[in-house]
Amino acid sequence: MKNSDTGIHRCAWADSSPLMCAYHDQEWGVPVRDGRELWETLMLEGFQAGLSWSVILHRRETFREAFQGFIPERVARFTEADVARLLLNPGIIRSRAKIEATIGGARAYLAMAKAGEDFSAFAWSFVDGKPIPNKTGKVLAKTPLSEKLSAALKKRGFKFVGPVIVYAWMQAVGLVDDHMPGCFKRAKATPQG
């Protein structure tokens, strides 16, 4: 857990590469309140299914270009021609099911907005507006809360949002604080008191 070069304690996975270290130190577990950014991260977590997060991180900018900045209004208008174009893009994960799930996810996001349901407020309502610290000391794959949030997302039309993917998303966007005890980010990501 201790990076020998800097003496900083981090979650062990963060030292696997400079990219993962930067992601850990600057993004992972930092509470995200912007609904569009929350949606983008959820869509990327769906692409990550069956792969390592570092694969997605290396391709994130290409994903953003391919999906027009992950602006839901744009992605929701994608057609079969766009799906065919994306299936030819070697810079992203070329899975028809995941591409179609992202387009459907944009439509679900917009349907929620049209119904007066803000995506950020929806997500944060599951944790009463503040990150939940993982006090188990264990690395979890899913929790009863991720199962509940997964079911709520599926009910709204999202796909590739099983409880394991949803828990990884909850970790990434700071809904839960899964920085390991001793990690320098834990105290900063989780409100004290």
Side-chain angles (χ1 to χ4, degrees):
M1 180 189 276
K2 185 175 182 182
N3 182 306
S4 58
D5 296 336
T6 63
I8 295 174
H9 292 271
R10 325 184 141 76
C11 298
W13 61 264
D15 287 328
S16 62
S17 75
L19 181 64
M20 292 299 281
C21 184
Y23 174 68
H24 171 273
D25 290 0
Q26 298 164 18
E27 295 182 62
W28 192 75
V30 175
V32 175
R33 302 288 177 168
D34 178 82
R36 195 221 50 85
E37 189 178 341
L38 286 165
W39 174 77
E40 174 185 336
T41 305
L42 182 61
M43 296 302 98
L44 288 171
E45 289 288 352
F47 274 104
Q48 184 265 332
L51 304 168
S52 73
W53 181 246
S54 65
V55 169
I56 302 303
L57 215 49
H58 277 96
R59 299 175 182 210
R60 184 164 55 174
E61 289 310 313
T62 306
F63 270 107
R64 286 175 174 159
E65 289 172 22
F67 285 93
Q68 298 182 359
F70 281 101
I71 297 171
E73 293 81 1
R74 292 179 183 170
V75 177
R77 292 192 300 265
F78 280 16
T79 65
E80 183 57 38
D82 292 298
V83 173
R85 170 184 57 83
L86 291 166
L87 286 169
L88 295 174
N89 187 335
I92 67 168
I93 307 305
R94 296 180 287 181
S95 161
R96 177 178 285 277
K98 292 176 181 183
I99 291 167
E100 290 176 346
T102 300
I103 296 166
R107 293 173 182 157
Y109 176 94
L110 294 174
M112 288 175 68
K114 186 175 181 181
E117 192 170 26
D118 177 77
F119 194 71
S120 179
F122 161 79
W124 283 96
S125 72
F126 283 83
V127 296
D128 295 327
K130 60 183 189 257
I132 296 175
N134 175 355
K135 296 179 181 177
T136 68
K138 298 176 185 173
V139 178
L140 304 172
K142 65 179 182 174
T143 64
L145 184 57
S146 74
E147 291 173 350
K148 182 178 175 184
L149 183 47
S150 168
L153 287 162
K154 288 177 183 177
K155 183 178 178 184
R156 285 161 178 79
F158 290 90
K159 296 193 182 321
F160 280 92
V161 290
V164 173
I165 290 171
V166 168
Y167 193 71
W169 174 65
M170 293 171 73
Q171 293 171 307
V173 299
L175 293 170
V176 295
D177 178 3
D178 253 2
H179 287 284
M180 296 306 293
C183 175
F184 85 100
K185 292 292 289 187
R186 187 166 179 91
K188 293 178 182 173
T190 305
Q192 300 298 305

